[in-house]
């Protein structure tokens, strides 16, 4: 089942997708193009994975980590389907990253890989936006590059786990202004979902509605104010967000991260 949370007629509602309409708890049908989508869940935390596709590491000239390279997406980054991404003034290279988002269905701690899929509630689409100016060194959490407000669109649906036969065999696509820019498959993930849940839950509790973003394939490119991004993950729908430039009162960002392997004195 595909579930969504949305606002219609000034009311916060939830419903499931049936015959192209969102059916709320009262059985009323809503046209998805006429509602304001909310986040599919309110996650206690969002954990993202860097360089989980070899081809993506290669296009960036970075070394593939020997174990999952994790970082936080602050909850202030989160943005629903249809929301507007803010382009930071002064950014030289900002890009999208289409990703499969795994939604945890129940609390998980010290879970073994063989049991891990029992803890998956469902899936959604994630866009792990980044200002690449600040992400050239794999060995630092890329908070300044990936932690900007609005840099974590999720949605539009919470697709229950039973709807997806094999989450490790889904096509991924990203379009900008209708042009296909990125394409890949979850077949090419280095660390699969069971390994990630085992690894993370060994040292922290994964809570119900937590989201794990599983990485992106090759195909990043610069986006600009005025662009519209449409991200697709097979079976999960389409996540669409436009981009607008930060307001004129914002001080332009300056500076870049040091390169991988360089020491900048800190």
């Amino acid at each position: 089942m595909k579930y969504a949370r949305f606002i219609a007629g000034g009311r916060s509602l939830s419903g499931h997708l049936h015959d192209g309409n969102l059916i709320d708890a009262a059985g009323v049908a809503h046209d998805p193009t006429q509602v304001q989508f909310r986040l599919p869940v309110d996650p206690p935390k969002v954990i993202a994975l860097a360089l989980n596709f070899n081809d993506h590491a290669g296009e960036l000239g970075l070394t593939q980590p020997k174990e999952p390279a994790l970082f936080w997406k602050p909850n202030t980054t989160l943005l629903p389907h249809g929301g507007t991404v803010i382009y930071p003034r002064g950014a030289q290279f900002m890009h999208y990253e289409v990703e499969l988002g795994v939604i945890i269905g129940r609390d998980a701690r010290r879970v073994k890989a063989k049991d891990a899929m029992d803890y998956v509630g469902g899936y959604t689409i994630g866009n792990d936006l980044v200002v690449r100016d600040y992400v050239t060194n794999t060995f630092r959490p890329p908070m300044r590059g990936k932690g900007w407000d609005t840099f974590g669109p999720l949605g539009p649906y919470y697709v229950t786990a039973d709807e997806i036969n094999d989450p490790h065999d889904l096509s991924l696509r990203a379009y900008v202004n209708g042009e296909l820019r990125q394409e890949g498959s979850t077949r090419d993930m280095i660390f699969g979902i069971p390994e990630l849940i085992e690894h993370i839950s060994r040292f922290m509790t994964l809570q119900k509605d937590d989201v794990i973003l599983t990485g992106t394939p090759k195909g990043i490119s610069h986006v600009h104010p005025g662009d519209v991004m449409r991200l697709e993950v097979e079976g999960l729908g389409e996540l669409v967000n436009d981009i607008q430039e930060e307001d004129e009162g914002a001080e332009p960002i300056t500076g870049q991260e040091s390169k991988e392997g360089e020491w900048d004195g800190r």
Side-chain angles (χ1 to χ4, degrees):
M1 192 76 72
K2 290 183 174 70
Y3 293 97
R5 304 191 309 159
F6 56 95
I7 297 173
R11 300 172 61 207
S12 293
L13 302 169
S14 60
H16 66 278
L17 192 66
H18 180 71
D19 288 340
N21 287 313
L22 289 167
I23 311 300
D24 68 21
V28 177
H30 301 266
D31 181 348
T33 66
Q34 301 301 311
V35 305
Q36 179 182 344
F37 277 82
R38 300 164 60 208
L39 292 170
V41 292
D42 286 320
K45 55 186 175 289
V46 178
I47 301 170
L49 191 64
L51 305 177
N52 198 31
F53 288 71
N54 266 322
D55 58 358
H56 180 54
E59 76 175 329
L60 297 174
L62 298 175
T63 303
Q64 174 61 49
K66 293 182 172 58
E67 63 177 34
L70 307 173
F71 61 93
W72 298 105
K73 289 292 283 192
N75 281 27
T76 48
T77 66
L78 300 182
L79 187 72
H81 169 70
T84 296
V85 171
I86 302 302
Y87 185 102
R89 286 188 174 274
Q92 296 180 40
F93 183 15
M94 172 178 155
H95 64 79
Y96 52 82
E97 292 185 356
V98 58
E99 307 203 5
L100 172 66
V102 178
I103 303 173
I104 299 299
R106 58 191 172 105
D107 288 5
R109 181 74 161 95
R110 297 177 182 169
V111 173
K112 297 300 183 184
K114 64 182 179 61
D115 303 315
M117 297 305 291
D118 294 338
Y119 290 81
V120 174
Y123 306 94
T124 194
I125 304 171
N127 187 354
D128 179 20
L129 285 149
V130 54
V131 174
R132 183 58 57 180
D133 311 27
Y134 291 145
V135 189
T136 56
N137 189 330
T138 341
F139 303 107
R140 293 187 203 174
M143 294 299 293
R144 189 163 55 158
K146 291 173 174 277
W148 291 81
D149 291 355
T150 75
F151 270 35
L154 292 176
Y157 302 111
Y158 183 141
V159 182
T160 54
D162 60 296
E163 284 264 312
I164 303 301
N165 182 51
D166 184 1
H168 299 95
D169 189 18
L170 301 176
S171 60
L172 307 165
R173 295 184 181 88
Y175 297 82
V176 179
N177 303 328
E179 176 190 358
L180 179 62
R181 296 275 187 93
Q182 186 180 27
E183 186 170 20
S185 171
T186 57
R187 290 191 305 270
D188 299 322
M189 290 194 301
I190 295 167
F191 301 105
I193 297 166
E195 295 170 275
L196 293 173
I197 291 175
E198 179 178 64
H199 179 76
I200 297 167
S201 72
R202 179 63 185 87
F203 60 89
M204 77 168 73
T205 299
L206 286 169
Q207 298 166 278
K208 183 180 184 302
D209 291 339
D210 278 352
V211 176
I212 302 173
L213 297 178
T214 55
T216 199
K218 179 180 178 180
I220 60 171
S221 65
H222 192 27
V223 288
H224 306 83
D227 288 345
V228 176
M229 301 170 291
R230 186 177 88 247
L231 276 55
E232 299 177 356
V233 176
E234 183 179 354
L236 304 188
E238 298 180 346
L239 174 63
V240 180
N241 299 94
D242 70 317
I243 304 171
Q244 293 183 14
E245 190 166 24
E246 198 171 19
D247 67 88
E248 294 182 358
E251 183 178 352
I253 62 173
T254 58
Q256 293 185 334
E257 283 278 359
S258 58
K259 298 293 185 181
E260 183 179 17
E262 291 180 354
W263 181 64
D264 62 1
R266 288 181 287 177

